[in-house]
Amino acid sequence: YLLVCFNRNEYVEYNVCSSTPITIKTFIEEFARSNNYDSSLLCFGAKNIIENRYMRVVGSNDRIREEYNWKPETRIGKD
């Protein structure tokens, strides 16, 4: 997630994330499992991957941690 706030009258973006790398596939699988969705509906590999598409997304939550002492409460992915 990306949280946009005005901090000291400035436009500031904050990444609300775990800062732990996770593949898109793992994120979707874990999201489906934690919400009791039917994972048989997931069809990974059904479409060809378009060149230059991200296979994983990693954000840094340093700014929101430092300014607001924020920390993630939910963990997604393998420990």
Side-chain angles (χ1 to χ4, degrees):
Y1 296 99
L2 183 63
L3 177 65
V4 179
C5 298
F6 287 93
N7 186 1
R8 298 182 199 121
N9 296 322
E10 297 175 20
Y11 172 85
V12 181
E13 296 179 352
Y14 298 94
N15 282 314
V16 181
C17 60
S18 67
S19 290
T20 303
I22 184 171
T23 64
I24 300 298
K25 179 180 179 182
T26 299
F27 175 82
I28 293 169
E29 289 172 336
E30 292 294 320
F31 182 85
R33 183 190 57 75
S34 65
N35 289 285
N36 296 317
Y37 293 142
D38 183 359
S39 62
S40 70
L41 299 175
L42 301 175
C43 300
F44 295 106
K47 292 179 104 178
N48 290 331
I49 298 171
I50 299 171
E51 189 174 332
N52 296 324
R53 294 292 174 149
Y54 299 109
M55 294 304 293
R56 70 179 188 150
V57 177
V58 182
S60 171
N61 59 25
D62 291 342
R63 179 180 288 155
I64 198 168
R65 279 180 182 260
E66 291 168 7
E67 291 185 27
Y68 295 101
N69 198 28
W70 178 87
K71 61 182 177 181
E73 293 182 5
T74 302
R75 182 168 175 83
I76 297 177
K78 311 279 189 263
D79 289 327

